[in-house]
Amino acid sequence: MAIRLGDIAPDFTADTTHGTIHFHEWLGTSWGVLFSHPKDFTPVCTTELGYVAKIKPEFDRRNVKVIGLSVDSVESHHRWEGDIGETQGTPVNFPMIGDPDRVVANLYDMIHPNANDTLTVRSVFVIGPDKKVKLTITYPASTGRNFDEVLRVIDSLQLTANHKVATPANWTDGGDVIIVPAVSDADAKVMFPQGWTPVKPYLRVVKQPNR
Ligand code: BEZ
């Protein structure tokens, strides 16, 4: 069964390159990103893991723990980490789940048999501190993901979790935002005393509140 937004992220215990983890316990009060890659020692995956390692400080700054997964073993991941370090110029600084029995891959519906019946697709799950799934993304094996976009969505999720705003197309942190339709103009006057631009009654543009 597919995992939907708002579902509790399934809990599991798994071997990783950083030892055995109990997923929910490992997440603690942090946000989480769980992402799968189809196979060890493959070119696109190598570049993805190197890029995530490079921008890990950006995930840390947002209180987000990152964890990768493939259906290869932890021993294989360890061997592959050497290649990633050598070719991408950075050590892999986050855990990778070894899932040769596809327990976690099946739990998260990461294998799409009509694409490939043994390897995972490129799934991304963003999980909130409440353990609920906030974002799911699925890419095909042949397309490397844009992890800057994952950071951008996390910025939006963290902003909109605390303020009654939504973020417009292509928004990035610091850009103007939109007052959610559920807030009346009367309530908006209290919440946004600096005022807003009424482009339409339902499209009220306001400065990003936490700036
Ligand atoms: C890759 O990571 O390069 C890859 C993995 C599986 C299929 C195609 C490409």
Side-chain angles (χ1 to χ4, degrees), residues 38-39 42-46 119 122 141-142:
K39 199 168 172 45
T42 50
V44 176
C45 298
T46 300
L119 306 179
R122 297 186 195 278
S142 51

Side-chain angles (χ1 to χ4, degrees), residues 37-48 80 116 119-120 122 140-143:
H37 45 270
K39 199 168 172 45
D40 291 6
F41 300 100
T42 50
V44 176
C45 298
T46 300
T47 62
E48 285 193 328
W80 186 28
N116 187 301
L119 306 179
T120 62
R122 297 186 195 278
S142 51
T143 305

Side-chain angles (χ1 to χ4, degrees), residues 88-150:
Q88 306 302 306
T90 175
V92 179
N93 48 12
F94 54 88
M96 282 198 277
I97 297 166
D99 194 32
D101 298 328
R102 304 180 206 162
V103 173
V104 181
N106 285 330
L107 201 54
Y108 277 80
D109 202 24
M110 291 167 165
I111 295 176
H112 296 198
N114 290 328
N116 187 301
D117 58 5
T118 53
L119 306 179
T120 62
V121 291
R122 297 186 195 278
S123 300
V124 183
F125 296 91
V126 175
I127 298 157
D130 57 3
K131 310 288 183 293
K132 288 187 180 166
V133 174
K134 308 295 183 187
L135 171 77
T136 66
I137 309 179
T138 306
Y139 273 52
S142 51
T143 305
R145 286 159 284 199
N146 183 335
F147 288 95
D148 294 335
E149 167 64 2
V150 176

Side-chain angles (χ1 to χ4, degrees), residues 33 51-52 54-62 64 66 124 126 135 137 146-158 171-173:
V33 171
Y51 191 75
V52 171
K54 273 186 203 144
I55 63 168
K56 178 152 178 301
E58 291 297 320
F59 287 105
D60 293 342
R61 199 161 67 74
R62 292 162 173 83
V64 181
V66 184
V124 183
V126 175
L135 171 77
I137 309 179
N146 183 335
F147 288 95
D148 294 335
E149 167 64 2
V150 176
L151 287 172
R152 189 191 75 86
V153 179
I154 289 169
D155 284 341
S156 173
L157 287 167
Q158 293 185 340
W171 171 88
T172 53
D173 190 32

Side-chain angles (χ1 to χ4, degrees), residues 12-34:
F12 57 83
T13 298
D15 291 334
T16 81
T17 49
H18 291 195
T20 301
I21 66 150
H22 308 290
F23 187 51
H24 282 194
E25 187 184 299
W26 176 79
L27 284 170
T29 57
S30 299
W31 290 69
V33 171
L34 168 64

